[in-house]
Amino acid sequence: MSDADGKGMATVPIDAVKGNALFEKAVAAIGLEDATTRWLCVSVLNTIGTTPQKLTPEELGNLLPEVDRRLRKLVQEAQADAAMKRLYRVLFEQADSA
């Protein structure tokens, strides 16, 4: 029997997923409920085949338009604007520290 049939494989809730420092800063910057924000971020990362543990500043920068698009489906425009402003700040601070 292989693991491909799903037996013996543990399912980890997305809200339990921890990432590298950049991922954690991005989640905090968005400022929504933690599980929702992690779900949003993980789903966006999956579109390019990366993980929260491997997120790079370049990948985050490339993914900002998609994060913005999905975020606007979840919250009001003003809340999305504020969240994206904080997220851009995280990315710029990351660039300044490099």
Side-chain angles (χ1 to χ4, degrees), residues 13-18 23 27 31-43 74:
I14 288 179
D15 62 341
V17 172
K18 300 295 179 203
F23 178 83
V27 167
L32 300 178
E33 188 270 328
D34 191 64
T36 302
T37 305
R38 287 179 185 283
W39 168 81
L40 172 75
C41 292
V42 169
S43 67
L74 295 173

Side-chain angles (χ1 to χ4, degrees), residues 40-58:
L40 172 75
C41 292
V42 169
S43 67
V44 171
L45 294 179
N46 285 339
T47 66
I48 63 165
T50 194
T51 66
Q53 298 81 13
K54 296 180 180 179
L55 179 63
T56 67
E58 181 180 359

